[in-house]
Amino acid sequence: WGENRSGLFGYAPAGLRLQAISIGLTHACGLEAESSLPVCWGDVFGESDMPKDVPMRSIDVGFAYSCGLREENDTAVCWGYSSATRPAKQNYPTDTPFERLAVGS
């Protein structure tokens, strides 16, 4: 469903097995089934900041950013942009463990 202008559903990486998925307005992210590593597709803002080697317990996406909880210590890590000029990685506590994660638009 949806317009699929950003490749949200029709262009997910082929053969990808996910244990979790979160879908936002312009992009989607999931956790690989075997490694728990994040993978995102669509119009992913700030994808170069995505922690590609950090296993995560959960993942959630907002309008132009994504966040996950690290498996090793349940602390949050975010990438992308929370506004047009401010990277998401500046807007959350980095040393506090969380039980759950939910991001907004």
Side-chain angles (χ1 to χ4, degrees), residues 7-99:
L8 291 179
F9 304 103
Y11 299 103
L16 186 64
R17 290 187 51 222
L18 300 172
Q19 61 173 295
I21 189 169
S22 181
I23 300 169
L25 179 65
T26 64
H27 74 291
C29 293
L31 297 179
E32 291 186 54
E34 298 295 321
S35 65
S36 298
L37 294 175
V39 59
C40 298
W41 60 95
D43 284 341
V44 182
F45 298 92
E47 184 175 10
S48 62
D49 293 334
M50 184 174 74
K52 294 179 174 76
D53 60 348
V54 177
M56 296 188 187
R57 186 172 320 286
S58 65
I59 194 164
D60 201 12
V61 302
F63 173 70
Y65 61 94
S66 307
C67 297
L69 290 182
R70 293 178 181 95
E71 267 191 1
E72 68 177 329
N73 58 12
D74 292 323
T75 57
V77 59
C78 296
W79 58 96
Y81 294 90
S82 59
S83 70
T85 60
R86 192 168 56 195
K89 60 186 175 183
Q90 297 175 355
N91 299 324
Y92 63 94
T94 58
D95 57 353
T96 302
F98 293 92
E99 290 184 19

